[in-house]
Amino acid sequence: MAALAALSSVSAAALACEDLRFAPGGVVVQVTDGDTVVLDSGTVVRLIGTQAPKLPLGREGFPTWPKGEESKAALAALVLNKTVRLGYGGEEIDRYERALAHVFVEAPGGEIWAQQQMVAQGMVRVYSFPDNRACLDQLYAAEGRARMAGLGIWSDPYYSVRAADKPADLLALAGHYELVEGRVLLADQAGGRLYLNFGRFWNEDFTAVIEAPALRLFVAAGIDPMGFEGALVRIRGWVDDRDGPRIEITHPEQIEVLATR
């Protein structure tokens, strides 16, 4: 399955992300983890659109997430000592001075889109930002196939998709980045925010909260979040524990509609 996913990524790379601003990259001389590399110019590149299992990287007391070393090894096998070019689709530099880019690897059969390859192998999951939302549809499709096949991280319960109707389990995951599936019981707007409630008890059950800045992005995308009421959805984001477990939605791509009714 991993081999088939790899071939799919190679064939799709030439057509992927056509609207990016492309720039020369260089040779990858170091792989920090499954979503960060260093070029021969000294530029640190964060593979935007993905989140790899985290490694301590010198941080005392920081736990290694399951499959962290495997993810790093998979990226090294793909890009280390290879020439790459960079594609930018949003904010280009973060507060750590890292380049936020899609990475395309030179290969005999044509360029390989590193992000899609890593997602297709199940070595990372899709992770987006309100100021960096390019190419996510292709990445979600690759993630779905990898998850269904149980590849990579998707074979480990640590990365299981959580059930929205089990708020106690979600509350125990506060501070974690999670994928949560469930049916929206009620969509309600109040005080400039929109709440997607997954249970009858708003201060105990799971809720997705869309703040005013995010609502403007929904409007710009032609999406009315009130229409999520009754829909089966998958939410992704960081779980917090304010009035029960919740995830703040900062941009539309954090919500995948699985069924409308």
Side-chain angles (χ1 to χ4, degrees):
M1 291 295 294
L4 289 174
L7 289 173
S8 174
S9 293
V10 172
S11 62
L15 299 176
C17 298
E18 293 177 329
D19 295 331
L20 297 178
R21 184 185 74 80
F22 286 97
V27 176
V28 175
V29 296
Q30 180 182 338
V31 174
T32 305
D33 55 23
D35 59 33
T36 311
V37 301
V38 182
L39 304 181
D40 55 350
S41 63
T43 299
V44 179
V45 182
R46 170 71 167 83
L47 274 67
I48 200 66
T50 64
Q51 181 199 56
K54 294 187 181 296
L55 298 172
L57 302 177
R59 293 171 288 188
E60 186 175 350
F62 191 94
T64 297
W65 291 12
K67 305 287 185 182
E69 292 293 348
E70 292 92 330
S71 178
K72 177 180 177 180
L75 184 58
L78 177 63
V79 305
L80 190 59
N81 300 320
K82 305 286 182 58
T83 300
V84 302
R85 67 169 178 155
L86 306 180
Y88 297 96
E91 191 70 26
E92 298 189 0
I93 302 291
D94 70 7
R95 59 179 175 168
Y96 305 109
E97 299 299 317
R98 299 178 300 184
L100 304 175
H102 291 270
V103 173
F104 294 84
V105 188
E106 286 188 4
E111 284 188 329
I112 299 172
W113 180 15
Q115 275 92 329
Q116 189 182 49
Q117 174 81 328
M118 289 291 288
V119 172
Q121 289 183 343
M123 287 291 101
V124 297
R125 48 187 176 181
V126 180
Y127 183 71
S128 55
F129 299 86
D131 57 5
N132 238 310
R133 299 156 58 199
C135 314
L136 293 176
D137 52 348
Q138 298 100 312
L139 295 181
Y140 275 135
E143 182 190 271
R145 292 189 292 269
R147 189 169 56 245
M148 289 183 65
L151 300 180
I153 65 172
W154 305 113
S155 67
D156 193 298
Y158 186 88
Y159 303 99
S160 294
V161 178
R162 314 300 176 182
D165 61 358
K166 295 183 177 179
D169 293 348
L170 289 171
L171 202 58
L173 294 168
H176 288 231
Y177 187 84
E178 299 291 341
L179 276 63
V180 181
E181 286 184 9
R183 194 169 293 278
V184 179
L185 181 67
L186 175 69
D188 184 37
Q189 192 161 2
R193 300 181 181 90
L194 192 144
Y195 299 89
L196 302 178
N197 296 299
F198 291 79
R200 298 185 182 279
F201 302 101
W202 63 268
N203 59 345
E204 297 177 11
D205 291 315
F206 175 64
T207 305
V209 182
I210 308 175
E211 299 282 355
L215 284 174
R216 290 192 285 272
L217 295 180
F218 277 87
V219 171
I223 301 170
D224 179 7
M226 294 294 288
F228 292 139
E229 185 169 306
L232 180 65
V233 300
R234 182 184 301 123
I235 305 282
R236 67 182 66 212
W238 294 94
V239 178
D240 64 45
D241 60 355
R242 286 180 280 176
D243 294 322
R246 47 166 252 169
I247 288 177
E248 181 180 347
I249 305 300
T250 62
H251 55 290
E253 289 79 4
Q254 284 177 264
I255 302 176
E256 297 171 81
V257 177
L258 308 178
T260 55
R261 287 290 184 271

